[in-house]
Amino acid sequence: MPQLHARGVELVVELLDAAEHFEQMPPDHIKKLLRETSLVLGDLLARDVPPERPARTAGNP
């Protein structure tokens, strides 16, 4: 999992750079960056899903 976190940090830097130089970036590079970002973000979110709580029932708040 440290690799996932490290890649997430790298992507943040790449996204900030892309935002500053958007006009000079080829559309295919932007598309690739956004797709990879969505995959890494999805993996991070899946990893951080909180455990499910037992369902509450009447009389058991």
Side-chain angles (χ1 to χ4, degrees), residues 7 11 31-41:
R7 187 58 190 136
L11 280 170
K31 191 176 196 178
K32 181 181 177 223
L33 182 60
L34 290 172
R35 285 181 191 252
E36 185 175 0
T37 300
S38 68
L39 291 173
V40 171
L41 182 56

Side-chain angles (χ1 to χ4, degrees), residues 11-52:
L11 280 170
V12 168
V13 173
E14 290 181 36
L15 287 168
L16 289 170
D17 188 52
E20 292 294 319
H21 303 98
F22 184 77
E23 297 81 17
Q24 293 90 15
M25 296 185 77
D28 60 323
H29 183 74
I30 293 169
K31 191 176 196 178
K32 181 181 177 223
L33 182 60
L34 290 172
R35 285 181 191 252
E36 185 175 0
T37 300
S38 68
L39 291 173
V40 171
L41 182 56
D43 289 347
L44 286 168
L45 290 172
R47 181 189 73 176
D48 294 336
V49 172
E52 288 191 30

